[in-house]
Amino acid sequence: MSEMVLSVKALPETLFKMIPTERVKLRQTGNVISLTPLSEVTKDECPLLGLTAGSSLTVDKFLAMTREDKILEGLES
């Protein structure tokens, strides 16, 4: 399997119109080639799904909350 990220400007006009982002991930698995649109994630965006979609919760904040919970539960000293 090979992957690369390239500018959509390198793709034919037909694909350019179908892809809503500036960059895509190109993946080849055997004889199958797939393009996945890539969205840039800003530092404050949370790429998680579900209840945290659109949240400003970061991994660091989540880990800090988890550590606090464990301390309160007496699982860590």
Side-chain angles (χ1 to χ4, degrees):
M1 176 172 65
S2 65
E3 289 183 319
M4 70 176 73
V5 175
L6 56 108
S7 171
V8 294
K9 293 177 183 175
L11 301 174
E13 184 73 24
T14 305
L15 291 176
F16 181 75
K17 290 179 182 178
M18 295 174 66
I19 299 172
T21 61
E22 293 279 327
R23 297 178 355 155
V24 295
K25 178 168 57 172
L26 175 65
R27 176 181 292 164
Q28 181 178 6
T29 307
N31 291 331
V32 177
I33 298 172
S34 61
L35 297 172
T36 306
L38 292 177
S39 299
E40 297 296 323
V41 177
T42 63
K43 184 178 180 181
D44 293 333
E45 282 184 41
C46 180
L48 302 177
L49 302 176
L51 296 176
T52 60
S55 172
S56 63
L57 179 66
T58 64
V59 172
D60 292 332
K61 289 179 187 177
F62 174 77
L63 292 175
M65 290 181 351
T66 303
R67 281 190 294 273
E68 289 174 12
D69 288 344
K70 287 182 180 181
I71 290 170
L72 291 174
E73 293 172 359
L75 298 176
E76 282 187 2
S77 55

